[in-house]
């Protein structure tokens, strides 16, 4: 029995039996777990009970607050600009943070983009940025705040004192099949983003085969839950539901995604990447209370200037050539027609198998690994035309990647018109 | 990924999503958990998913087989008599094993009563027996078999090589609030009893406030599940559902329950204890294929002879005086009338608070602690008459026990007629 009068077994039993946890129970269990008083096996039983029995909105809000309270909450008030961040639930080819952060900075806001590494089929922003020679993801809070004031954008690793309970919980959920719980996903994302100190937040909630949320209704529930959590903690939050049934852009991997981001910053790049970058930037600029037009700013080249400043401020050389793969191979179309579908999960998994991602936290990634889509849904192809260009430093990986891609592309007579990438907007 | 091609996360996910585990998944997860390859936090997530999503009868049967297979199964074929055991799901004042084992031995069967210690409000058979000077609960398999052949009855601790998976799982369930799951309770009880090697088994499934199963329907489901598990493993099994809304007999504790058991063996004792002992003995004798009449055998004094032989064979002195408490206190009736109810859970908890039970496995029990009921439902009392006589060696415990007993006894104008103690019989 803890000093506060709770025992882990009673908290687990309450949730197991379908009840709502009290504020005091939530505060206690998060704190006691962070301190190691509640054992891993007790927390995992509670997580499974939450997974299966759910949490009420007040419980989720309190759980999130308790996770924020397990560490420090950054104070970005000295930055001198409105702060606004973006978080994506993760998708295949999702390099949007790279052009977006400097673009929104160029619009007058400050973007504190604390990011993670990839695990599984979705890549990590830090892994992509590290393909830039010399770039350093580790900043102190002081350096980060200074860079935000000077450059207006930072992409760096979250420090261990932001929501440490979430870090511990995430590792536990990963090994106990309790990841895909909407309350837990919402609390995990929002505790980190709120602790990072941003004034406003735009969420990119992916829907489709390449995303966590495979269906629109689940994605909408997750989006609403997070928007409410933001509001409850004084962070203006908007969520966009966006399509992740096909990969975003043409590049999937690390260095290849940086290259594609540079194309966008230079005024080119794939239409879907540009469309989503501008849609997110527009929401961010609005939440920051600025009246800049992101499309105009992007066309002006000022976003590219911010990118170069941002990379340089963290030791990176924006002019250094990106790593090139030691081996490439092309996968071709077996029939002629129009590409009618491309399975994002299969493409993401293929890139992962080529070495772009990691199976375990301690694995290293290959910066040059990944793939380029040579056709996307809507494009006409002839049998023998290239569909994918695969990149790796370790050619023994080709076979597994090619196996993943078998059946990933469907070719038919006519392609259905593809809807816009933004499916829906959820506002506070 | 294990050699067999399973990963704990996949097994957890299958059960989490409401599916049935395959035979191969069950075998793998029990074996891998016993070996420490599946972590405690993974098994606890699986246990909670099983708790909430249930298991099918084939899953429960396979789970039980896998737990048996985690250790050895005793061979009692050399005993030379039919073997038959009894298991109770635990109740307040449940000392039935003590008179029952020698009674059934005197009827011609061999009773391999492997028992446990008490935790919480229900006492443990080994704790009770240890109040007999010199009695030793630890026997090798060879000594146990020899005693069964010679005396026909043994009460001893289960060795660590019987169903070791259950031992590990039980400790985990205890700290993760996953104890009260019918599939898990059934598999736990039956794996141990089947591993002990008995030919036949009678189950005493308690129903009521002092029992695990508070309602008749749950008790019936548990009974049916266990009877089916017995049949599936070649052990003829019958279950009696018996009333545990009031304590069994007048004595609740350790030495006081031994004393009451001796009264029964001597031909006296409370009517409900005698009734239940004979009911269970009748079923056991029938399953063993013997035609002795337990009531006649009890009256003949031959059961008492077997008791003395059984205690002596394990180093106990059947003539040694039982431990007496250092302090006693009487709780009296506040009004006059007829006792209409007595809450078994409150009485069991009071005995536990007096020192008869333990809060943690490593605690010691007081052999002289416990209580005697001085009135039972149906008895007339006057205000000021004794209701309970409390026993302890540590008088600072009286207040907590008296607090537990507040409201435990209801006194009214007329008592409802009490039904027989056996509510229902479930046969294979």
């Amino acid at each position: 029995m803890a000093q506060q009068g709770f025992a882990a077994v009673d908290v687990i039993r309450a949730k197991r039996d379908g009840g709502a946890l009290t504020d005091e129970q939530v505060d206690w269990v998060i704190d006691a777990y962070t301190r190691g008083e509640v054992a891993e096996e007790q927390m995992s039983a509670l997580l499974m009970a939450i997974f299966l029995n759910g949490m009420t909105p007040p419980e989720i809000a309190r759980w999130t607050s308790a996770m924020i309270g397990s560490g420090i909450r950054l104070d970005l008030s000295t930055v001198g600009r409105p702060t606004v961040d973006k978080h994506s639930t993760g998708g295949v080819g999702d390099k949007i943070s790279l052009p977006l952060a400097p673009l929104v900075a160029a619009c007058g806001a400050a973007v504190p983009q604390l990011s993670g590494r990839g695990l599984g089929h979705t890549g990590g922003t830090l892994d992509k940025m590290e393909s830039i020679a010399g770039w350093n993801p580790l900043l102190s809070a002081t350096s980060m705040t200074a860079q935000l004031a000077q450059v207006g954008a930072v992409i760096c690793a979250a420090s261990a004192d932001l929501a440490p309970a979430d870090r511990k919980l995430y590792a536990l959920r990963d090994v106990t099949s309790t990841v895909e719980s909407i309350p837990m996903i919402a609390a995990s994302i929002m505790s980190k983003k709120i602790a990072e100190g941003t004034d406003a937040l735009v969420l990119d909630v992916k829907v489709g085969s390449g995303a966590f949320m495979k269906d629109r209704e689940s994605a909408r529930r997750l989006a609403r839950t997070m928007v409410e959590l933001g509001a409850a903690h004084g962070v203006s939050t908007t969520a966009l539901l966006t399509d992740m049934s096909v990969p975003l852009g043409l590049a999937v991997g690390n260095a290849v995604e940086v290259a594609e981001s540079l194309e966008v910053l230079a005024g080119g790049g794939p239409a879907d990447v540009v469309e989503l970058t501008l849609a997110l930037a527009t929401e961010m600029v609005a939440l920051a209370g600025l009246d800049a037009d992101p499309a105009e700013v992007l066309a002006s080249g000022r976003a590219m200037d911010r990118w170069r400043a941002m990379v340089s401020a963290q030791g990176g050389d924006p002019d250094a050539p990106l790593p090139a793969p030691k081996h490439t191979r092309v996968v071709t179309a077996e029939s002629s027609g129009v590409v009618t579908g491309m399975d994002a999960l299969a493409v993401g998994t293929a890139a992962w198998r080529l070495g772009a991602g990691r199976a375990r936290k301690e694995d290293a990634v290959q910066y040059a690994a990944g793939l380029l889509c040579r056709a996307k849904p809507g494009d006409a192809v002839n049998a023998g035309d290239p569909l994918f260009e695969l990149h790796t430093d370790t050619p023994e990986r080709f076979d597994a990647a090619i196996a993943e891609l078998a059946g990933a592309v469907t070719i038919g007579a006519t392609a259905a018109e593809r809807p816009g990438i933004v499916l829906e907007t959820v506002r506070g």
Side-chain angles (χ1 to χ4, degrees), chain A residues 34-193:
Chain A
T34 309
R35 288 185 290 104
E37 183 184 329
V38 167
E40 297 288 348
E41 59 267 29
Q42 294 179 313
M43 184 53 92
S44 73
L46 179 60
L47 292 177
M48 183 57 81
I50 290 171
F51 190 104
L52 292 172
N53 288 338
M55 288 209 279
T56 65
E59 275 181 293
I60 301 173
R62 192 71 179 205
W63 187 275
T64 305
S65 302
M67 294 219 293
I68 298 166
S70 71
I72 59 161
R73 186 168 173 176
L74 291 180
D75 176 9
L76 300 181
S77 61
T78 58
V79 164
R81 315 176 182 215
T83 51
V84 57
D85 195 10
K86 186 267 309 188
H87 180 83
S88 159
T89 58
V92 176
D94 183 8
K95 71 284 293 173
I96 302 291
S97 289
L98 278 57
L100 182 65
L103 172 58
V104 175
C107 292
V111 184
Q113 180 81 60
L114 304 197
S115 301
R117 294 181 190 282
L119 194 63
H121 78 277
T122 62
T125 297
L126 297 183
D127 295 326
K128 296 168 194 175
M129 291 296 291
E130 282 179 334
S131 55
I132 300 167
W135 186 83
N136 170 25
L138 301 171
L139 295 186
S140 68
T142 314
S143 306
M144 189 188 106
T145 312
Q147 184 174 330
L148 280 174
Q150 283 174 341
V151 178
V154 66
I155 294 176
C156 66
S159 78
D161 48 9
L162 296 183
D166 177 65
R167 196 170 293 252
K168 214 177 154 190
L169 275 173
Y170 194 88
L172 182 60
R173 288 164 59 211
D174 194 42
V175 297
T176 57
S177 285
T178 50
V179 169
E180 307 94 325
S181 152
I182 287 178
M184 286 289 139
I185 296 171
S188 172
I189 292 171
M190 295 305 290
S191 64
K192 280 179 294 198
K193 287 291 160 184

Side-chain angles (χ1 to χ4, degrees), chain A residues 195-219:
Chain A
E196 121 198 330
T198 189
D199 298 326
L201 179 64
V202 174
L203 297 163
D204 180 2
V205 179
K206 304 288 193 191
V207 191
S209 86
F212 246 149
M213 298 289 125
K214 308 293 181 196
D215 67 283
R216 186 104 161 236
E217 180 47 37
S218 304

Side-chain angles (χ1 to χ4, degrees), chain A residues 73 190 194 201 225-237:
Chain A
R73 186 168 173 176
M190 295 305 290
I194 293 164
L201 179 64
T225 302
M226 292 195 290
V227 166
E228 284 164 16
L229 283 175
H233 290 89
V235 176
S236 306
T237 305

Side-chain angles (χ1 to χ4, degrees), chain A residues 316-380:
Chain A
D317 176 0
D319 296 315
L322 290 164
K326 297 204 174 94
H327 304 271
T328 63
R329 191 173 294 184
V330 170
V331 174
T332 57
E334 293 184 351
S335 58
S336 300
V338 176
V339 176
T340 54
M342 178 177 281
D343 182 51
L345 177 60
V347 174
T349 307
W352 170 65
R353 293 212 182 275
L354 289 164
R358 50 174 72 77
R360 290 169 308 180
K361 260 178 285 199
E362 56 276 20
D363 293 348
V365 302
Q366 295 181 17
Y367 296 119
L371 57 82
L372 291 173
C373 303
R374 299 286 293 269
K376 285 283 291 276
D379 293 347

